[in-house]
Amino acid sequence: MRSLQAMAWYPWLVAVLCMLLVATSNGMINAGITVFDEALLDEFGWTLSQLKTRDSITFLGASLLVLVAGWAVDRWGFKPLLLLGMALLALAYWSYGYASRLGHLYLLHGVFALVAASAGNMTNIVAAATWMSHRRGLAVGMTIAGTSLGGMLLPPLANALNSSLGWRLALRVEALLPALMFLLVLVLLGNRHRGSPARAGGEDERSGVTFAEALRRPQFHLIACAGAFTYFAILALFSHLFLYMRSLSYSPETASYALSSLALAGLCGKLASGWLADRVNPFRFFKLQMLLMLAGLVGVSQLPGWVFPCLLLTGVGWGGLHTLYNFMLLHLFGLRDAGKINGAVSVFEAAGGAAGIYATGLAHDAWGGYGSAWLMVVAVMAMGTVLALLLRPGKQPGS
């Protein structure tokens, strides 16, 4: 392992591995699982808000657990958490195929919450940024691109398996993917934590500000609150897009490709913003991306005939934001308490995402459709955009 870590290309291998881990955890928990919604509603007769409560459980649970995960990353490193997350994801997907009650789904989505906290964005971002500090923006962009990669590839895969095998067996087959990722982490990933010696030519893991100092800075609170509003909007869209497309009379195949199109646009936005973040003013770029996503959401809600172009615009804006939120936390606060700081912001993001999923389902049931529900989503995103426009650069780590 040490000879592998000494290779000049090893940081790139870590970045690619982190991208695949995020694609697996995020893709299976978020976009991929929604392909089975119609089958579950048809078989069990639940209301949409009852079903979507399971997704809110995932994100609310993750918001409670991610601070603990951030503390564990700072203390013991990222590898143990990534192994735990992949093992739990494989077990949960296998068990999902045997679910017969709503309570079973709620319990399994509680396990998903632990997966999201231990093997989701925060842990993988810290891993990639630690090993590739010389191109941190690109490392974060590549890792975050995994969310779009998973959203792009897993819905069509899940739809194909569901069509050919039925939803129960399809879920058990998909459990093989996190099992494979568990083995790759075990064999390939080197662990690092705050007590590790600094790498030659790299940034010391102990550089940066403390968690307590970060909490005293206004930039932390603006990013956290804007993140909550942004995640409210994007997770509402991801979680409800398949059923929204079906309500517009699109086929299941086309609805799954709408999810993939949103994810593909996000992938492009994440990679482009990761490359640009090392070269341009990230604060101005961040505000531009907020405006792009807001404009796309307005189009999705008001122009159903232009839903695909508007989804692409939303995805590009969201992709850039997903990278920039995490890049700016590292840019402003450094690596010293990156697990705790990113974990604390993730609490806000997860809580916002959970609220968005549930509130949109509730609005759909109460108002008899998605029209007014999307207006609510747009209003929340607009509030996040206002907060983003107030963000200014602050004191840098070590300055």
Side-chain angles (χ1 to χ4, degrees), residues 23-90:
T24 302
S25 61
N26 212 295
M28 293 180 72
I29 290 173
N30 295 336
I33 199 69
T34 65
V35 171
F36 302 101
D37 286 359
E38 193 170 24
L40 291 168
L41 290 171
D42 289 343
E43 180 163 336
F44 296 108
W46 301 320
T47 66
L48 182 61
S49 59
Q50 283 178 319
L51 177 64
K52 287 303 179 181
T53 297
R54 61 168 195 186
D55 300 319
S56 295
I57 289 171
T58 299
F59 291 101
L60 284 173
S63 71
L64 297 173
L65 294 168
V66 72
L67 270 178
V68 178
W71 174 82
V73 167
D74 290 335
R75 183 172 181 86
W76 294 304
F78 35 79
K79 185 171 182 176
L81 273 77
L82 293 173
L83 289 171
L84 173 65
M86 289 299 104
L88 288 175
L89 184 56

Side-chain angles (χ1 to χ4, degrees), residues 41-370:
L41 290 171
D42 289 343
E43 180 163 336
F44 296 108
W46 301 320
T47 66
L48 182 61
S49 59
Q50 283 178 319
L51 177 64
K52 287 303 179 181
T53 297
R54 61 168 195 186
D55 300 319
S56 295
I57 289 171
T58 299
F59 291 101
L60 284 173
S63 71
L64 297 173
L65 294 168
V66 72
L67 270 178
V68 178
W71 174 82
V73 167
D74 290 335
R75 183 172 181 86
W76 294 304
F78 35 79
K79 185 171 182 176
L81 273 77
L82 293 173
L83 289 171
L84 173 65
M86 289 299 104
L88 288 175
L89 184 56
L91 178 63
Y93 249 71
W94 182 268
S95 302
Y96 217 109
Y98 294 98
S100 59
R101 296 179 181 178
L102 194 59
H104 296 163
L105 266 62
Y106 292 169
L107 177 62
L108 290 170
H109 280 258
V111 177
F112 282 176
L114 185 54
V115 174
S118 61
N121 293 347
M122 180 274 294
T123 310
N124 284 287
I125 287 166
V126 173
T130 298
W131 280 106
M132 203 161 83
S133 59
H134 62 294
R135 297 293 297 278
R136 181 159 293 157
L138 185 56
V140 172
M142 288 177 64
T143 303
I144 293 299
T147 60
S148 294
L149 186 65
M152 181 175 62
L153 298 178
L154 286 172
L157 172 64
N159 187 65
L161 291 172
N162 184 38
S163 299
S164 59
L165 303 176
W167 68 271
R168 293 186 182 277
L169 183 55
L171 285 159
R172 294 199 290 272
V173 170
E174 284 196 71
L176 297 175
L177 181 57
L180 173 62
M181 295 308 302
F182 177 94
L183 295 176
L184 291 177
V185 172
L186 186 65
V187 172
L188 297 178
L189 186 61
N191 194 36
R192 299 192 68 84
H193 51 83
R194 194 193 302 167
S196 301
R199 301 181 310 285
E203 181 178 341
D204 193 327
E205 279 70 33
R206 292 162 288 189
S207 67
V209 305
T210 64
F211 181 49
E213 184 178 349
L215 288 176
R216 292 193 291 268
R217 297 190 180 183
Q219 293 90 347
F220 174 88
H221 300 284
L222 285 171
I223 290 173
C225 293
F229 291 140
T230 305
Y231 271 69
F232 182 105
I234 194 61
L235 290 180
L237 182 61
F238 265 113
S239 183
H240 291 270
L241 182 58
F242 186 88
L243 293 176
Y244 174 58
M245 296 298 290
R246 294 289 288 135
S247 74
L248 297 177
S249 301
Y250 288 100
S251 68
E253 291 75 19
T254 303
S256 68
Y257 283 118
L259 280 166
S260 296
S261 298
L262 179 61
L264 177 60
L267 174 64
C268 295
K270 289 163 190 174
L271 291 174
S273 64
W275 183 80
L276 286 168
D278 292 317
R279 294 167 170 81
V280 302
N281 185 315
F283 294 89
R284 294 177 181 173
F285 192 28
F286 174 70
K287 295 167 187 177
L288 173 63
Q289 295 298 111
M290 291 288 285
L291 291 169
L292 284 177
M293 182 176 163
L294 177 61
L297 285 170
V298 170
V300 169
S301 67
Q302 298 299 312
L303 302 170
W306 290 77
V307 64
F308 276 97
C310 293
L311 284 172
L312 294 177
L313 182 61
T314 304
V316 170
W318 160 244
L321 289 173
H322 205 168
T323 296
L324 290 168
Y325 271 120
N326 294 282
F327 173 80
M328 286 196 299
L329 289 173
L330 295 169
H331 179 72
L332 287 167
F333 305 122
L335 277 174
R336 174 171 177 162
D337 279 349
K340 297 186 188 74
I341 293 168
N342 283 45
V345 172
S346 295
V347 170
F348 286 82
E349 293 170 343
I357 293 167
Y358 180 74
T360 304
L362 202 62
H364 172 278
D365 290 345
W367 297 329
Y370 278 111

